[in-house]
């Protein structure tokens, strides 16, 4: 992809930075962040690197926004843009206290509404608006896979978040801008969840979690970038799409594959009681690892899209190869 104007709201996180790295050398990438440009570019991305900037040879500009209200300086950037991607949202990797729950909801719906309004007010609206959504919208599935046509929903907290997020996106009337809601599965790349997984594996704790039979849907970050390019290219596509590799695995298979690829033979399993204790200690929720996510990308495959990484073994190998060695070796 070349010579496109791309706005990424919430682009300072794991997925946003990976997309900025993918497109930032041959396109004009504008990132909206709640941090000031100086703070954003000085920030460590949690992976031992600061955020990508023009100093690294990228055409990337950071603009401040509050993620809630339209402001002229960033709204103007949407004029004539090829693509707007909204990734903004408080991380769900926290305890589900009343305060955190509110922020998880509001950060997603407020940012979505603000972008919708800015697009409606644009003189030359962007061609395509992709809003992040999540494959967690489907129920805990141990019996059958879930897709866009027949998938079933539950009403636990994370499903409610996904539903409200998508509903807010759906409500935004942008007649001249195509919309795609991208229900991403757990995204694997050089950052994000791979960091805690590798830490577990290298400390000998990389065994199955719970009974290990829960399904694990995942997608390689390169396929997220490729799918977005596909949506941009295929102007007939709009609506909701699952973005999960066609080869979901069990938690047990995922962990054993990771151990094999990183050369760690021993991996103690973590029973549910231990996970609950650990989650409490590190301020997160066990749902993130124990929910059985069995999601398949039926609609995307129907469009003719092919995944570069359909198998988890190849996906993990490609990621681990590029990760700093300190993350998966003691020495
Ligand atoms: N990673 C995955 O496996 C995965 C899977 C499915 C869906 N998703 C969704 O995809 C999106 C991007 O994922 P990610 O892994 O890149 O997340 P991330 O690393 O947590 O980045 C999200 C970004 O959202 C912004 N943000 C955080 N709290 C906010 C708030 N209260 N109000 C407005 N903006 C806020 C932050 O940017 P600033 O601090 O610079 O403003 C942050 O960089 C998220 O919404 C996530 O829920 C992710």
């Amino acid at each position: 992809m070349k010579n496109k104007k791309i706005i990424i709201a919430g682009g300072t996180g794991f997925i946003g930075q990976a997309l900025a790295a993918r497109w930032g050398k041959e396109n004009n990438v504008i990132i909206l962040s709640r941090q000031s440009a100086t703070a954003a570019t000085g920030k460590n991305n949690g992976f031992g690197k600061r955020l990508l900037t023009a100093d690294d040879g990228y055409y990337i500009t950071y603009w401040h926004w509050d993620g809630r209200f339209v402001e002229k300086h960033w709204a103007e950037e949407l004029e004539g843009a090829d693509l707007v991607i909204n990734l903004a949202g408080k991380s769900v990797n926290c305890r589900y206290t009343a305060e955190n729950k509110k922020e998880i909801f509001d950060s997603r719906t407020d940012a979505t509404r603000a972008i919708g309004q800015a697009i409606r007010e644009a003189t030359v609206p962007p061609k395509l608006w992709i809003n992040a959504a999540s494959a967690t919208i489907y129920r805990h599935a141990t019996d059958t896979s879930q897709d866009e046509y027949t998938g079933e929903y539950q009403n636990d907290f994370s499903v409610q978040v996904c539903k409200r997020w998508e509903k807010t996106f759906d409500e935004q009337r942008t007649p001249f801008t195509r919309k795609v809601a991208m229900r991403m599965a757990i995204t694997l790349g050089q950052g994000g969840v791979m960091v805690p997984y590798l830490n577990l594996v290298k400390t000998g704790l990389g065994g199955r979690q719970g009974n290990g039979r829960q399904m694990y849907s995942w997608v390689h970050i390169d396929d997220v970038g490729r799918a977005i390019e596909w949506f941009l290219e295929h102007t007939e596509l709009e609506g909701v799409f699952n973005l999960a590799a066609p080869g979901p695995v069990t938690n047990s298979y995922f962990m054993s594959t990771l151990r094999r690829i990183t050369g760690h033979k021993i991996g103690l399993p973590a029973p549910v009681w231990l996970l609950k204790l650990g989650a409490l200690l590190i301020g997160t929720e066990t749902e993130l690892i124990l929910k059985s996510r069995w999601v398949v990308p039926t609609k995307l495959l129907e469009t003719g899209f092919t995944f570069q990484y359909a198998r988890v073994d190849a996906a993990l190998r490609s990621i681990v190869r590029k990760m700093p060695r300190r993350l998966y070796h003691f020495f």
Side-chain angles (χ1 to χ4, degrees):
M1 191 155 86
K2 278 188 185 164
N3 303 323
K4 304 282 189 230
K5 185 179 184 190
I6 304 163
I7 321 296
I8 311 180
T12 57
F14 159 57
I15 295 176
Q17 286 292 289
L19 296 177
R22 181 178 182 90
W23 299 318
K25 292 222 161 141
E26 296 183 309
N27 301 275
N28 176 16
V29 175
I30 295 137
I31 289 181
L32 308 185
S33 164
R34 292 162 311 150
Q35 304 155 58
S36 71
T38 339
T41 51
K43 180 185 144 185
N44 187 299
N45 69 358
F47 189 52
K49 285 190 222 155
R50 61 182 176 73
L51 298 183
L52 299 172
T53 68
D55 294 345
D56 312 301
Y58 291 93
Y59 300 106
I60 300 180
T61 315
Y62 292 84
W63 276 118
H64 180 268
W65 80 329
D66 65 4
R68 298 171 63 204
F69 298 108
V70 177
E71 292 161 288
K72 198 162 172 267
H73 67 273
W74 66 260
E76 276 175 354
E77 292 286 10
L78 269 58
E79 292 285 346
D82 295 281
L83 172 62
V84 176
I85 303 171
N86 175 25
L87 301 170
K90 176 181 169 52
S91 169
V92 292
N93 186 9
C94 59
R95 292 298 287 178
Y96 293 163
T97 60
E99 194 185 335
N100 282 341
K101 280 181 170 178
K102 181 169 168 24
E103 199 182 335
I104 288 172
F105 274 121
D106 293 352
S107 56
R108 287 173 171 75
T109 52
D110 290 350
T112 303
R113 261 188 228 108
I115 291 174
Q117 185 187 334
I119 291 179
R120 277 191 300 280
E121 290 171 359
T123 313
V124 185
K127 294 193 181 75
L128 172 63
W129 173 15
I130 295 186
N131 221 46
S134 172
T136 295
I137 196 163
Y138 299 107
R139 68 172 168 87
H140 174 88
T142 50
D143 51 346
T144 181
S145 61
Q146 308 288 304
D147 74 5
E148 299 92 337
Y149 298 115
T150 58
E152 295 165 321
Y153 311 100
Q154 254 165 349
N155 228 15
D156 56 25
F157 169 65
S158 56
V159 173
Q160 284 175 30
V161 171
C162 296
K163 281 185 178 168
R164 211 183 289 176
W165 198 5
E166 283 192 20
K167 183 169 178 286
T168 309
F169 181 52
D170 191 48
E171 285 166 355
Q172 304 308 306
R173 295 283 162 253
T174 59
F176 304 106
T177 300
R178 199 157 48 93
K179 293 195 300 178
V180 169
M182 205 165 60
R183 287 182 182 164
M184 288 179 285
I186 295 167
T187 304
L188 303 179
Q190 293 175 267
V193 293
M194 284 306 291
V195 177
Y197 277 132
L198 288 171
N199 281 330
L200 281 176
V201 162
K202 80 173 180 185
T203 48
L205 298 172
R208 65 168 191 271
Q209 286 138 354
N211 67 20
R213 290 197 293 275
Q214 68 274 34
M215 291 299 286
Y216 188 90
S217 280
W218 58 276
V219 61
H220 191 291
I221 185 73
D222 286 357
D223 279 325
V224 173
R226 291 176 65 251
I228 293 174
E229 289 162 16
W230 182 261
F231 290 130
L232 193 59
E233 224 172 278
H234 292 80
T235 52
E236 72 285 6
L237 302 180
E238 56 189 336
V240 170
F241 288 85
N242 289 347
L243 200 33
V249 292
T250 60
N251 166 277
S252 182
Y253 185 88
F254 178 83
M255 294 311 296
S256 67
T257 307
L258 190 58
R259 289 198 305 275
R260 181 163 44 79
I261 284 169
T262 54
H264 290 88
K265 291 202 175 64
I266 297 168
L268 292 179
V272 173
W273 68 265
L274 185 61
L275 290 171
K276 285 195 169 149
L277 181 66
L280 192 64
L281 290 175
I282 64 170
T284 187
E285 293 284 339
T286 49
E287 185 218 357
L288 299 173
I289 33 184
L290 293 178
K291 178 169 177 181
S292 188
R293 296 174 165 88
W294 192 350
V295 180
V296 288
T298 306
K299 274 180 69 181
L300 203 47
L301 293 177
E302 282 172 356
T303 70
F305 181 81
T306 52
F307 283 77
Q308 184 178 348
Y309 295 97
R311 290 189 52 86
V312 80
D313 310 54
L316 287 175
R317 217 171 282 120
S318 91
I319 292 164
V320 167
R321 210 175 36 228
K322 293 184 204 149
M323 299 278 279
R325 283 174 65 83
R326 68 185 156 77
L327 279 173
Y328 61 97
H329 277 296
F330 283 113
F331 309 107

